[in-house]
Amino acid sequence: MSALLPAVLRPRLSRPSWLSPRVLRTEVLAGLVVALALIPEAISFSILAGVDPRVGLFASFTMAVTIAICGGRPAMISAATGAVALVVAPLARDHGLGHLVAAVILGGIVQVVLAVLGVARLMRFIPRSVMVGFVNALAILIFAAQVPYLIGVPWLVYPLVGAALVIMVGLPRLTRTVPAPLVAIVVLTVVTVAANLAVPTVGDQGALPDSLPVPGLPQVPYTWATLQVIAPYALGIALVGLMESLMTAKLVDDITDTHSNKTRESWGQGVANVVTGLFGGMGGCAMIGQTMINVKAAGARTRLSTFLSGVFLLVLVVSLGDVVATIPMAALVAVMIVVAVSTFDWHSVAPATLRRMPWGETLVMVTTVAAVLATHNLAIGVVVGVLVAMVIFARRVAHMVAVTSVLDPDGGTRIYSVHGELFFASSNDLVYQFDYLGDPDHVIIDMTHAHVWDASSVAALDAITTKYAARGKTAEIVELNQPSARIHGSLAGQLGLGH
């Protein structure tokens, strides 16, 4: 029957890939593993933000479920994150939970507006070296976040972590039917409970909720003064959340060799934050660590794993809180260590790679990593990396403008030919490429092989013609292409700096 339908209609009637028993098993188990890993993270981020653990746990539930429906990157995990927690912590401390929730809702609205304005298209301007730096810094942060769980703990924690690492490294070589992280978590939990081992557990991280979240509006005065307080934090939530989410989506695109809808992901993040705020959550964005567990460690590829991670999280903490509380932190620490090691781009720091790579690319990568580690903010690191890449690119292109000249056979005209892209960085030295004293009375500047991009270039051309005019000579600019002629015609003689 479907073969008789037009091709454009067939995809609408095709079975979702997750209905396959093999894919369904993978997605369900992946969702369970991610849910287990989300619990201590959400509790930790709640503490970082200065709010009750329930706020972070409910935020992780609503973010995951909503983004599974609205998001543009299947299998990517969104939940409460450390980056957003750092943004809202001062607001929660100074003004309370009500203002925090209001800021989350407003931040979600800002994200939707930015998505409509096309902010996702800016991702094309992020160089590969910044992406590599982002990934490497992320791996370091993920690993560093586990260190506190390995310091000042009973000695039994170390062999437990070692055993979990052996399971996660060795089991995939025997079978991939069940995700190795899930096996490690179950085995270590059974061992610690059966042997009554006194080691830190999930329950030690904070109280787990025993009821479902209830929607409602934030308890704040709906006044201009309130808006002035929450607006800067809402903007921070929006920008940090979008940047981390879009960078993570691009990373998953590369890992899975598939394309995602970045615009949909952008407004999906906004919708998820609005929903999260209405349920009293602290907001969030894409989580690279849990996404790597879902995509790389567990092999998930569809929205189902994201949706189930939120559902399982709520079921585990509300209905099975006593069981979840017995999971040893050593198991979850080991999972995150494996994620950190597998996330780091080891090829990028190999001596052979560093020898072949242009120094500018390496500098951008190192700068991105350093900025992230210094601020513990991935978004700031990306912005710094992009700025450094822009400066290096501008310096490189600035030296790609060449000027050659020939003397007309009759000796009365000097013809200069300009080659390259003229913009603020490359046009500064253009003025010094001409012989104002030695040239004849008539000079032609041929722009056939050049392009004028900005006012700085027009000002440089004005300065050249002005210098010739001051010596009683005529300089004629010819063969401008249409865009160059348009900007030159509208600005020439109007800038003042060349006179």
Side-chain angles (χ1 to χ4, degrees), residues 311-326:
V311 173
F312 284 146
L313 169 67
L314 189 65
V315 172
L316 288 171
V317 298
V318 174
S319 303
L320 302 173
D322 293 340
V323 176
V324 172
T326 63

Side-chain angles (χ1 to χ4, degrees), residues 50-72:
V51 296
D52 189 277
R54 295 172 178 80
V55 177
L57 289 166
F58 288 156
S60 295
F61 160 67
T62 53
M63 286 293 298
V65 170
T66 307
I67 205 66
I69 299 170
C70 300

Side-chain angles (χ1 to χ4, degrees), residues 45-46 48-51 55-56 59 63 78-92 100-101 103-105 107-108 111 233-245 269 273 276 281-287 376-379:
F45 296 147
S46 299
L48 178 62
V51 296
V55 177
M63 286 293 298
S78 292
T81 61
V84 173
L86 288 172
V87 172
V88 301
L91 180 62
L100 184 155
V101 171
V104 170
I105 295 174
Q111 287 178 324
Y233 297 97
L235 183 61
I237 292 170
L239 295 179
V240 169
L242 279 184
M243 191 169 297
E244 290 208 24
S245 298
Q269 289 289 331
N273 272 308
T276 297
M282 58 179 279
C285 61
M287 298 189 75
H376 284 234
N377 190 316
L378 290 164

Side-chain angles (χ1 to χ4, degrees), residues 81-84 86-87 111 123 126 130-131 133-135 137-138 141 235-248 285-286 288 367-388:
T81 61
V84 173
L86 288 172
V87 172
Q111 287 178 324
M123 285 299 295
I126 298 180
V130 174
M131 271 296 296
F134 170 84
V135 169
L138 194 56
L141 287 181
L235 183 61
I237 292 170
L239 295 179
V240 169
L242 279 184
M243 191 169 297
E244 290 208 24
S245 298
L246 293 177
M247 290 289 288
T248 304
C285 61
I288 183 67
T367 302
T368 303
V369 173
V372 171
L373 297 183
T375 62
H376 284 234
N377 190 316
L378 290 164
I380 291 177
V382 171
V383 170
V384 171
V386 170
L387 290 176
V388 173

Side-chain angles (χ1 to χ4, degrees), residues 281-373:
M282 58 179 279
C285 61
M287 298 189 75
I288 183 67
Q290 277 64 25
T291 298
M292 291 300 101
I293 293 176
N294 197 43
V295 174
K296 295 188 75 172
R301 291 294 183 271
T302 76
R303 299 176 185 275
L304 183 62
S305 58
T306 305
F307 181 83
L308 290 179
S309 68
V311 173
F312 284 146
L313 169 67
L314 189 65
V315 172
L316 288 171
V317 298
V318 174
S319 303
L320 302 173
D322 293 340
V323 176
V324 172
T326 63
I327 296 175
M329 286 301 299
L332 300 176
V333 167
V335 171
M336 298 308 293
I337 289 175
V338 170
V339 169
V341 172
S342 62
T343 299
F344 194 91
D345 187 350
W346 297 99
H347 177 72
S348 67
V349 296
T353 303
L354 294 176
R355 284 194 298 268
R356 290 193 301 267
M357 192 69 65
W359 68 269
E361 301 289 320
T362 302
L363 178 61
V364 170
M365 180 191 73
V366 172
T367 302
T368 303
V369 173
V372 171
L373 297 183

Side-chain angles (χ1 to χ4, degrees), residues 73-75 251-259 295 300-301:
R73 174 62 262 178
L251 179 61
V252 177
D253 288 353
D254 294 339
I255 292 173
T256 61
D257 197 24
T258 56
H259 180 68
V295 174
R301 291 294 183 271

Side-chain angles (χ1 to χ4, degrees), residues 165-200:
L165 292 175
V166 170
I167 292 173
M168 284 184 286
V169 173
L171 184 61
R173 301 185 182 186
L174 302 176
T175 178
R176 292 184 178 271
T177 304
V178 182
L182 179 58
V183 174
I185 292 171
V186 172
V187 169
L188 262 66
T189 302
V190 171
V191 169
T192 54
V193 172
N196 196 26
L197 301 179
V199 294

